[in-house]
Amino acid sequence: MADDRNQDPQMDADALYQEDNFTDRRVGAIRRLSPVRADGSADPTRPVLFIGQAEIMTNMGPVPINFEIEGPTLAEAVKGFAPAAQAAIERTVQQIQEMRRQQASQLVVPQGPVPGITGGGRGGGKIQMP
């Protein structure tokens, strides 16, 4: 999908949304995406979307989290913010932990002779079976 966007930067006139932002200035923000036609008039054939935004603090600094919130109205999106945020935070923490595990489990194999070893060893820096 990202490749499609890079190859054809043309906006889709049938998929336009008007964006409104709401925040409590404490926990996060909710973006309301209201479907519109190319002339800017409301498009009642498509649903309104709500996207939550929050941040979690990590040892590398704040990490932004975006997540979809179910519900047809802003009031329902406000009620659904906390559970949707918690689920998104848990997914993000799991992804970060998985990335750390993968990085920690990578083997580093020297590609040249090991410094300080001379003589009749096989060398070459490759793992070899006897």
Side-chain angles (χ1 to χ4, degrees):
M1 182 173 198
D3 291 335
D4 292 342
R5 282 185 280 175
N6 291 336
Q7 302 225 349
D8 185 17
Q10 200 69 318
M11 287 192 75
D12 183 356
D14 295 327
L16 296 176
Y17 285 87
Q18 179 178 340
E19 183 175 324
D20 298 304
N21 290 308
F22 304 90
T23 183
D24 66 353
R25 297 179 47 199
R26 188 176 61 86
V27 174
I30 295 175
R31 292 172 42 212
R32 178 176 60 194
L33 301 174
S34 304
V36 295
R37 295 185 183 103
D39 65 1
S41 64
D43 183 356
T45 63
R46 294 184 290 145
V48 173
L49 303 175
F50 293 96
I51 308 295
Q53 298 175 311
E55 286 184 348
I56 59 172
M57 289 303 294
T58 69
N59 57 355
M60 297 183 313
V63 174
I65 308 287
N66 294 308
F67 48 93
E68 203 164 324
I69 304 172
E70 298 294 324
T73 66
L74 179 59
E76 289 187 34
V78 170
K79 287 181 187 174
F81 183 92
Q86 188 61 39
I89 290 168
E90 288 173 9
R91 277 192 310 272
T92 302
V93 168
Q94 288 174 353
Q95 289 171 347
I96 290 170
Q97 289 173 344
E98 180 60 28
M99 288 170 50
R100 284 182 183 160
R101 273 193 292 275
Q102 288 176 359
Q103 207 158 33
S105 68
Q106 290 179 347
L107 292 176
V108 177
V109 179
Q111 293 299 315
V114 179
I117 297 181
T118 59
R122 291 185 171 167
K126 297 191 179 167
I127 298 174
Q128 298 182 6
M129 300 302 283

